[in-house]
Amino acid sequence: MNPEKTQDLKRLRRSLEASRRKLEPFRSRHRQAVEQYVGVYYSDDAADRPVHLNLMELASQIYERNLSARPPQALVFTRDRSLRPLGVKYERMLNEQLKDHRIHTQIQRCVKQSLLSMGICKVGVETVGEVEVQGYRFAQSQPYVRSVLLDDWVHDMSARHMDEVAYCGHRYRMRLSEARENKQFKKSVRDNLRVEENYNYNEQGGDERISTLSSGISRIETALEDTVELWEVWLPHEKKLVTLSPMESEPPLRVVDWDGPDRHLGPYHMLWFNEVDGNTMPLAPAMLWQ
């Protein structure tokens, strides 16, 4: 698979579309579980009948508090005595980083999503500025964690297990102006980016997105800025990250060689509880609670 070749890219896009269709029932079940979680008084688009005791919400809270009540902590050790002082400093630095409420919040979101369907997180390194050392300027970076909604997720549904998928990835939103000015994107493609208008449904008027539980009306009526939705796809065999625009006729915005840990799922980490033999989608606790 070479995403730079037209025929390979067309085949990849067809496969992505087919897998998204196969994921639609799981997205719908996830939405139904969220509707029961929020209850009838949350919004006009939530549950359709009241319950005196919301056991879905109660169970979610109990599990979430047991699984992610506090930020994780790291333990650094070494058999080399000369490196132990460095290990202690490294451990303190890691734990200070993990105290960042943004990391803990993303982990909690991932845990809650795993109870309703499947928890997905993307882990990477982002540039946060520049630092000057002895007259030289260097990019300053830090690790980040982002939870990914099942609404925005795709993986190879023809695989029997997650360690066999030929691709996986997620959809994300960014300001149209930023996308057009991003020099990491191919200029001929970013110049043709257009405002995304289908914010209420997945794929050509398919299932409703979870966000419509509270937004209700079209996002276009309330959006302050023009945005565009892009897809980032991980190809484990080629070890490449591909950024795709929503326009099927366009080449990739960006193709990046992977230089991270040697993992089949690359930057993505998943959490689920009940694996189903020969299937990539798990049996979520909420499916049984309902």
Side-chain angles (χ1 to χ4, degrees):
M1 167 60 64
N2 183 356
E4 302 279 10
K5 292 183 177 180
T6 303
Q7 291 303 318
D8 285 358
L9 181 61
K10 286 182 178 179
R11 186 171 182 178
L12 175 61
R13 284 189 181 273
R14 286 197 301 269
S15 186
L16 290 170
E17 184 180 349
S19 290
R20 284 284 293 175
R21 287 198 303 268
K22 292 177 181 178
L23 280 167
E24 181 175 344
F26 297 96
R27 294 195 300 266
S28 297
R29 300 294 185 276
H30 189 160
R31 180 188 168 91
Q32 292 170 8
V34 174
E35 289 175 359
Q36 298 303 315
Y37 170 80
V38 299
V40 70
Y41 301 110
Y42 178 73
S43 72
D44 293 339
D45 298 306
D48 57 359
R49 57 175 62 90
V51 294
H52 297 293
L53 179 60
N54 190 336
L55 296 178
M56 289 282 288
E57 189 275 341
L58 179 62
S60 296
Q61 291 294 328
I62 291 173
Y63 278 101
E64 185 181 338
R65 289 172 184 172
N66 278 275
L67 294 169
S68 59
R70 293 177 296 276
Q73 293 287 283
L75 176 63
V76 178
F77 63 93
T78 174
R79 293 185 177 89
D80 189 333
R81 290 181 177 273
S82 65
L83 295 178
R84 286 180 182 176
L86 180 62
V88 171
K89 292 180 180 179
Y90 187 42
E91 179 180 311
R92 289 175 181 172
M93 183 195 71
L94 283 174
N95 289 329
E96 283 298 318
Q97 184 78 38
L98 289 170
K99 287 180 182 178
D100 188 332
H101 70 91
R102 292 171 295 181
I103 294 178
H104 188 210
T105 298
Q106 299 299 324
I107 292 174
Q108 287 182 314
R109 288 177 182 173
C110 184
V111 168
K112 180 168 289 184
Q113 290 165 11
S114 70
L115 299 171
L116 303 178
S117 60
M118 180 170 64
I120 308 163
C121 271
K122 182 186 178 186
V123 178
V125 178
E126 62 183 348
T127 301
V128 295
E130 291 186 340
V131 60
E132 185 172 336
V133 179
Q134 296 181 350
Y136 294 94
R137 301 190 69 84
F138 299 93
Q140 187 177 9
S141 60
Q142 67 179 21
Y144 72 88
V145 181
R146 298 286 186 275
S147 63
V148 178
L149 287 172
L150 188 63
D151 259 5
D152 301 324
W153 174 255
V154 67
H155 68 263
D156 180 11
M157 288 293 284
S158 66
R160 296 170 298 177
H161 303 285
M162 272 297 179
D163 56 4
E164 295 180 357
V165 297
Y167 59 82
C168 60
H170 77 294
R171 173 177 58 193
Y172 66 97
R173 184 179 298 164
M174 69 185 305
R175 286 197 289 268
L176 180 60
S177 58
E178 287 185 357
R180 287 178 174 171
E181 295 170 3
N182 191 332
K183 294 183 179 180
Q184 294 181 352
F185 293 163
K186 189 178 296 184
K187 189 178 189 312
S188 60
V189 182
R190 57 185 163 99
D191 286 346
N192 292 328
L193 291 174
R194 298 291 181 267
V195 178
E196 176 62 44
E197 297 181 354
N198 181 27
Y199 285 111
N200 281 349
Y201 297 91
N202 288 303
E203 280 76 44
Q204 293 81 39
D207 52 303
E208 286 186 89
R209 300 190 186 187
I210 290 179
S211 57
T212 59
L213 283 174
S214 59
S215 63
I217 60 174
S218 172
R219 186 180 180 276
I220 298 175
E221 300 176 22
T222 56
L224 182 63
E225 296 179 294
D226 290 336
T227 58
V228 63
E229 289 186 334
L230 309 176
W231 280 93
E232 186 159 282
V233 181
W234 161 246
L235 303 176
H237 301 301
E238 294 77 14
K239 297 190 182 303
K240 293 181 182 294
L241 278 169
V242 184
T243 305
L244 299 174
S245 76
M247 293 169 288
E248 295 186 3
S249 60
E250 294 285 354
L253 279 161
R254 179 178 61 174
V255 178
V256 179
D257 292 327
W258 175 251
D259 62 353
D262 187 14
R263 302 181 63 255
H264 187 73
L265 295 180
Y268 298 105
H269 298 254
M270 297 186 178
L271 175 64
W272 64 73
F273 295 102
N274 300 308
E275 186 173 359
V276 180
D277 288 346
N279 291 271
T280 54
M281 290 302 294
L283 175 64
M287 296 178 184
L288 305 177
W289 297 343
Q290 286 181 281

